[in-house]
Amino acid sequence: MLERTLIILKPDTVKRKLCGKIISIFEDAGFNIVETKMITPSRELVERHYPNNNKWYVAVGNKSISNFAEQGVDIVKVMGTDDALTIGKTIKGWLVDYMTSGPVMAMVLEGNNAIKNVRKMCGNTIPSIADPSTIRGRFSLDSSDVANAEHRPVHNLIHASGEIDEAKYEISLWFGSENA
Protein backbone atom coordinates (compact mmCIF):
# COMPACT_ATOMS: atom_id res chain seq x y z
CA MET A 1 0.00 0.00 0.00
CA LEU A 2 1.43 3.36 -1.07
CA GLU A 3 1.68 5.68 1.94
CA ARG A 4 3.20 8.98 2.95
CA THR A 5 4.99 9.58 6.21
CA LEU A 6 6.75 12.46 7.88
CA ILE A 7 10.32 12.22 9.04
CA ILE A 8 12.20 14.94 10.85
CA LEU A 9 15.97 14.87 10.97
CA LYS A 10 16.48 16.38 14.41
CA PRO A 11 19.01 19.03 15.48
CA ASP A 12 21.62 16.39 16.39
CA THR A 13 21.46 15.01 12.84
CA VAL A 14 21.84 18.44 11.24
CA LYS A 15 24.66 19.41 13.62
CA ARG A 16 26.55 16.19 12.90
CA LYS A 17 26.04 16.61 9.12
CA LEU A 18 24.30 13.24 8.75
CA CYS A 19 21.31 14.39 6.67
CA GLY A 20 22.73 13.26 3.32
CA LYS A 21 23.69 9.81 4.62
CA ILE A 22 20.26 9.25 6.16
CA ILE A 23 18.40 10.52 3.09
CA SER A 24 20.46 8.11 0.96
CA ILE A 25 19.37 5.20 3.14
CA PHE A 26 15.71 6.01 2.49
CA GLU A 27 16.27 6.57 -1.23
CA ASP A 28 18.26 3.34 -1.51
CA ALA A 29 15.28 1.54 0.06
CA GLY A 30 13.03 2.92 -2.69
CA PHE A 31 11.26 5.75 -0.89
CA ASN A 32 10.53 8.93 -2.81
CA ILE A 33 11.03 12.34 -1.26
CA VAL A 34 7.80 14.24 -1.92
CA GLU A 35 8.78 17.42 -0.10
CA THR A 36 11.55 18.64 2.17
CA LYS A 37 12.55 21.77 4.02
CA MET A 38 15.15 22.94 6.48
CA ILE A 39 13.62 24.93 9.31
CA THR A 40 14.31 26.02 12.86
CA PRO A 41 10.83 25.27 14.17
CA SER A 42 8.93 27.58 16.48
CA ARG A 43 7.88 26.47 19.95
CA GLU A 44 4.26 26.65 18.80
CA LEU A 45 4.88 24.25 15.90
CA VAL A 46 6.72 21.71 18.06
CA GLU A 47 4.16 21.97 20.88
CA ARG A 48 1.45 21.19 18.32
CA HIS A 49 3.55 18.35 16.86
CA TYR A 50 3.69 16.45 20.16
CA PRO A 51 0.29 15.52 21.62
CA ASN A 52 -1.14 17.56 24.46
CA ASN A 53 -3.23 14.97 26.25
CA ASN A 54 -2.94 12.91 29.39
CA LYS A 55 -2.95 9.58 27.53
CA TRP A 56 0.22 10.57 25.63
CA TYR A 57 1.88 12.07 28.71
CA VAL A 58 1.21 8.93 30.76
CA ALA A 59 2.50 6.66 27.95
CA VAL A 60 5.72 8.68 27.69
CA GLY A 61 6.05 8.78 31.47
CA ASN A 62 5.52 5.03 31.80
CA LYS A 63 8.12 4.37 29.12
CA SER A 64 10.60 6.44 31.14
CA ILE A 65 9.65 4.68 34.36
CA SER A 66 10.32 1.32 32.67
CA ASN A 67 13.67 2.54 31.33
CA PHE A 68 14.72 3.69 34.81
CA ALA A 69 13.64 0.37 36.34
CA GLU A 70 15.62 -1.61 33.72
CA GLN A 71 18.70 0.44 34.57
CA GLY A 72 18.18 0.06 38.32
CA VAL A 73 17.98 3.85 38.74
CA ASP A 74 15.72 5.52 41.32
CA ILE A 75 13.43 7.65 39.17
CA VAL A 76 12.43 9.87 42.10
CA LYS A 77 16.08 10.87 42.67
CA VAL A 78 16.51 11.87 39.01
CA MET A 79 13.05 13.19 38.08
CA GLY A 80 11.75 14.25 41.50
CA THR A 81 8.65 12.08 41.10
CA ASP A 82 7.43 8.68 39.97
CA ASP A 83 4.14 10.06 38.60
CA ALA A 84 3.88 9.09 34.92
CA LEU A 85 1.75 12.12 34.00
CA THR A 86 4.21 14.58 35.53
CA ILE A 87 7.19 12.81 33.96
CA GLY A 88 5.50 12.82 30.54
CA LYS A 89 4.85 16.56 30.76
CA THR A 90 8.48 17.17 31.77
CA ILE A 91 9.74 15.13 28.82
CA LYS A 92 7.50 17.00 26.40
CA GLY A 93 9.05 20.24 27.67
CA TRP A 94 12.52 18.79 27.06
CA LEU A 95 11.47 17.73 23.54
CA VAL A 96 10.14 21.18 22.70
CA ASP A 97 13.33 22.82 23.99
CA TYR A 98 15.48 20.42 22.00
CA MET A 99 13.53 20.50 18.74
CA THR A 100 13.62 24.32 18.72
CA SER A 101 17.34 24.50 19.59
CA GLY A 102 18.50 24.50 15.96
CA PRO A 103 17.59 23.61 12.42
CA VAL A 104 15.81 20.39 11.52
CA MET A 105 15.08 18.85 8.13
CA ALA A 106 11.45 17.83 7.70
CA MET A 107 10.56 15.48 4.84
CA VAL A 108 7.57 13.71 3.41
CA LEU A 109 8.50 10.25 2.18
CA GLU A 110 6.29 8.12 -0.02
CA GLY A 111 6.50 4.41 -0.63
CA ASN A 112 5.15 0.96 0.01
CA ASN A 113 3.95 0.70 3.63
CA ALA A 114 6.07 3.77 4.30
CA ILE A 115 4.98 4.30 7.90
CA LYS A 116 5.84 0.82 9.15
CA ASN A 117 8.92 0.37 6.97
CA VAL A 118 10.45 3.78 7.74
CA ARG A 119 10.01 3.23 11.48
CA LYS A 120 11.61 -0.18 11.17
CA MET A 121 14.57 1.42 9.36
CA CYS A 122 14.88 4.09 12.08
CA GLY A 123 15.14 1.53 14.88
CA ASN A 124 14.36 1.72 18.57
CA THR A 125 13.89 5.26 19.89
CA ILE A 126 16.57 4.52 22.48
CA PRO A 127 19.71 4.35 20.33
CA SER A 128 21.77 2.38 22.87
CA ILE A 129 19.42 -0.58 22.41
CA ALA A 130 18.61 -0.07 18.71
CA ASP A 131 19.67 -2.77 16.28
CA PRO A 132 23.07 -1.77 14.81
CA SER A 133 21.66 -2.11 11.27
CA THR A 134 19.12 0.69 11.86
CA ILE A 135 19.68 4.43 11.48
CA ARG A 136 19.64 5.06 15.23
CA GLY A 137 21.74 1.98 15.94
CA ARG A 138 24.33 2.98 13.37
CA PHE A 139 24.62 6.73 13.92
CA SER A 140 23.49 7.61 17.44
CA LEU A 141 25.41 7.05 20.64
CA ASP A 142 22.94 8.44 23.16
CA SER A 143 21.16 6.53 25.92
CA SER A 144 18.19 7.25 28.14
CA ASP A 145 20.23 7.09 31.35
CA VAL A 146 22.59 9.85 30.18
CA ALA A 147 19.74 11.94 28.76
CA ASN A 148 17.68 11.68 31.94
CA ALA A 149 20.68 12.51 34.14
CA GLU A 150 21.21 15.64 31.98
CA HIS A 151 17.46 16.50 32.06
CA ARG A 152 17.01 16.36 28.29
CA PRO A 153 15.43 14.05 25.73
CA VAL A 154 17.36 11.23 24.12
CA HIS A 155 19.16 12.53 21.03
CA ASN A 156 17.95 9.87 18.64
CA LEU A 157 18.48 11.65 15.30
CA ILE A 158 15.09 11.21 13.68
CA HIS A 159 11.34 11.36 14.15
CA ALA A 160 9.11 9.14 12.04
CA SER A 161 5.31 9.08 12.12
CA GLY A 162 3.90 6.05 13.90
CA GLU A 163 0.53 5.47 12.23
CA ILE A 164 -1.59 6.69 9.31
CA ASP A 165 -3.62 9.31 11.21
CA GLU A 166 -0.48 10.61 12.93
CA ALA A 167 1.31 10.86 9.57
CA LYS A 168 -1.57 12.78 8.00
CA TYR A 169 -1.73 15.19 10.94
CA GLU A 170 2.04 15.73 11.04
CA ILE A 171 2.40 16.22 7.27
CA SER A 172 -0.43 18.73 7.34
CA LEU A 173 1.13 20.52 10.32
CA TRP A 174 4.62 20.76 8.81
CA PHE A 175 3.76 21.14 5.10
CA GLY A 176 0.09 22.07 4.74
CA SER A 177 -2.96 19.90 4.22
CA GLU A 178 -2.45 19.48 0.45
CA ASN A 179 0.52 17.15 1.10
CA ALA A 180 -1.12 14.86 3.65
Side-chain angles (χ1 to χ4, degrees):
M1 178 167 124
L2 195 62
E3 294 175 339
R4 288 186 174 186
T5 190
L6 178 81
I7 66 163
I8 301 170
L9 302 180
K10 295 179 179 182
D12 51 325
T13 307
V14 175
K15 184 176 183 179
R16 292 180 54 204
K17 299 177 172 60
L18 293 172
C19 294
K21 288 181 182 183
I22 293 172
I23 291 167
S24 292
I25 291 169
F26 290 122
E27 288 180 324
D28 289 348
F31 292 101
N32 296 315
I33 298 171
V34 175
E35 191 156 358
T36 186
K37 66 180 171 183
M38 184 78 75
I39 180 177
T40 301
S42 67
R43 291 190 72 78
E44 177 191 6
L45 174 61
V46 178
E47 286 179 10
R48 289 176 56 207
H49 173 83
Y50 291 106
N52 187 25
N53 63 64
N54 288 349
K55 181 180 176 185
W56 186 85
Y57 291 133
V58 168
V60 169
N62 281 330
K63 186 175 179 182
S64 294
I65 291 168
S66 293
N67 289 337
F68 274 92
E70 288 172 14
Q71 296 160 13
V73 176
D74 183 351
I75 195 163
V76 176
K77 284 185 180 177
V78 178
M79 300 294 292
T81 184
D82 61 358
D83 178 66
L85 179 65
T86 302
I87 292 168
K89 288 180 177 183
T90 298
I91 291 171
K92 180 177 178 177
W94 293 351
L95 286 166
V96 172
D97 290 344
Y98 179 62
M99 291 293 287
T100 59
S101 70
V104 302
M105 181 174 276
M107 289 191 292
V108 178
L109 296 181
E110 183 178 71
N112 186 36
N113 292 312
I115 296 164
K116 179 182 78 174
N117 289 328
V118 164
R119 284 186 61 94
K120 196 182 314 181
M121 291 171 68
C122 290
N124 193 297
T125 57
I126 301 173
S128 60
I129 61 173
D131 186 291
S133 66
T134 64
I135 291 167
R136 291 182 180 123
R138 180 173 174 196
F139 296 113
S140 183
L141 305 172
D142 206 9
S143 62
S144 56
D145 56 331
V146 171
N148 289 328
E150 295 177 356
H151 300 283
R152 63 168 175 81
V154 174
H155 293 179
N156 65 6
L157 302 173
I158 190 168
H159 164 80
S161 302
E163 58 186 44
I164 289 175
D165 289 340
E166 182 179 280
K168 287 179 180 179
Y169 170 75
E170 292 176 349
I171 291 168
S172 175
L173 180 64
W174 288 78
F175 288 98
S177 59
E178 68 276 1
N179 294 304

